[in-house]
Amino acid sequence: MDDYLRTNLLNWDDRAALHATDTTGSYRIDRVLAGGSSLHALEASEIGDITGKDIVHLQCHIGLDTLSLKHLGARSVTGLDFSPIAITAARDFAEKAVTEATFVEASVYDAAAALGHRTYDIVFVTWGAIHWLPDIFRWAEVVSSLLRPGGRLYLLDGHPQMYQYEGVDGRLSLTHSWRTPAHAPLLFTETHTYTGDERPLTHQRMYEWLHPISHTVNALLKAGLTLDFLNEHEILTWRHYPGMIETGEDQFELGPGYPRIPLSFSIGASKP
Ligand SMILES: C[S@@+](CC[C@H](N)C(=O)[O-])C[C@H]1O[C@@H](n2cnc3c(N)ncnc32)[C@H](O)[C@@H]1O
């Protein structure tokens, strides 16, 4: 693991500890422990039939969506994340929810070996995932290697165009270039995590990479997958800019007066 990912790991360990003891309601912990689902309306409407499927959830964080997929009818669920604190929390939630799930600590780039070269019906990746990864082409190869023939990827994440803007004085200010070279990531410093938790982060630095949609699509095609759909959405599940308005449960849109830009995107892709 290089220095960029090591820095991100420290930041994510901090966040995982805060999120596992979340009192803001952002993570829907009680709902999942009661056998319910933390999936938002958007991914629940797009993921398709998961009944009886073997699912691997990459960058599963504290495992609540992973457990939700099992509660929604998956045959088996496996979550993978590089944060040991996130994985420990996920296992703890699985035990409390009495839900069968496997959680594996590994970098996405080591997923195939860490999962014993097992293959799955669905690779599930959502909200705040691929911009932590320097190389989207290597990521797509990992996704492809985890899918059995006929299997599919469901990806839903923040739109790279959205991440180019910062909110400055009530306006969207075009700040970052549309693509980030692997060797020159964007550096951000945040004192607090995004849930509204007042407890500060100890490790506040993090590195991110913007991947144009064309790179993500081409990476998946190059890795041997076929594209089932590519959707762009005007909603997010967090208040990314101060002027955003809540239009549903944990669903946010740009308020009146803001030009509309795509805030998130989703991809379905299949392995022939
Ligand atoms: C915003 S969270 C994803 C949230 C997730 N959608 C969920 O179900 O809660 C991002 C996660 O990516 C993980 N992560 C970041 N870089 C990673 C890497 N290289 N390999 C594995 N996990 C990584 C972090 O530890 C963190 O748990």
Side-chain angles (χ1 to χ4, degrees):
M1 196 182 297
D2 68 22
D3 285 348
Y4 297 136
L5 293 195
R6 248 189 300 277
T7 300
N8 286 348
L9 176 53
L10 292 173
N11 179 270
W12 275 112
D13 270 345
D14 280 7
R15 289 182 198 259
L18 297 178
H19 298 169
T21 52
D22 178 57
T23 51
T24 68
S26 304
Y27 272 95
R28 304 176 172 185
I29 294 172
D30 293 343
R31 197 184 297 186
V32 176
L33 293 187
S37 168
S38 54
L39 264 55
H40 302 90
L42 181 53
E43 56 263 31
S45 71
E46 285 196 324
I47 189 176
D49 189 13
I50 62 167
T51 314
K53 303 294 186 195
D54 296 322
I55 303 182
V56 64
H57 179 191
L58 299 182
Q59 296 175 253
C60 69
H61 198 43
I62 54 176
L64 296 164
D65 280 3
T66 324
L67 300 177
S68 301
L69 293 167
K70 178 73 176 162
H71 296 165
L72 291 169
R75 178 167 66 175
S76 75
V77 291
T78 302
L80 178 139
D81 200 284
F82 75 168
S83 158
I85 294 188
I87 290 298
T88 300
R91 288 182 183 141
D92 188 43
F93 285 134
E95 205 178 305
K96 285 193 179 120
V98 199
T99 300
E100 205 182 320
T102 303
F103 288 102
V104 175
E105 179 192 321
S107 170
V108 163
Y109 292 120
D110 301 326
L115 296 168
H117 300 282
R118 202 184 147 199
T119 55
Y120 301 85
D121 299 307
I122 298 176
V123 173
F124 179 84
V125 183
T126 61
W127 296 128
I130 59 172
H131 58 104
W132 300 107
L133 305 177
D135 187 338
I136 199 69
F137 284 83
R138 258 177 75 208
W139 167 83
E141 282 166 18
V142 171
V143 168
S144 182
S145 74
L146 295 175
L147 285 171
R148 51 187 67 140
R152 62 187 174 86
L153 163 73
Y154 177 68
L155 167 68
L156 170 63
D157 215 334
H159 200 290
Q161 188 178 341
M162 182 269 298
Y163 282 124
Q164 283 189 260
Y165 292 86
E166 298 284 343
V168 180
D169 299 332
R171 295 180 60 82
L172 298 184
S173 172
L174 185 54
T175 309
H176 305 293
S177 294
W178 70 302
R179 53 188 173 156
T180 316
H183 63 274
L186 304 172
L187 171 63
F188 296 98
T189 304
E190 283 179 7
T191 55
H192 290 80
T193 192
Y194 44 77
T195 56
D197 200 310
E198 288 179 358
R199 295 171 290 175
L201 294 165
T202 306
H203 301 92
Q204 301 181 347
R205 285 155 62 93
M206 56 211 184
Y207 292 101
E208 299 184 34
W209 292 264
L210 298 190
H211 304 295
I213 298 270
S214 59
H215 288 198
T216 304
V217 168
N218 284 328
L220 292 168
L221 297 178
K222 191 161 178 247
L225 304 190
T226 57
L227 191 64
D228 300 324
F229 61 84
L230 164 60
N231 295 328
E232 295 175 292
H233 312 279
E234 293 187 6
I235 58 178
L236 278 180
T237 51
W238 68 95
R239 203 186 292 278
H240 192 77
Y241 303 110
M244 292 182 80
I245 51 173
E246 193 158 8
T247 54
E249 191 192 8
D250 294 326
Q251 178 176 298
F252 299 89
E253 294 182 25
L254 287 164
Y258 281 91
R260 312 301 279 183
I261 58 168
L263 298 178
S264 52
F265 76 104
S266 49
I267 286 179
S270 297
K271 184 150 181 172

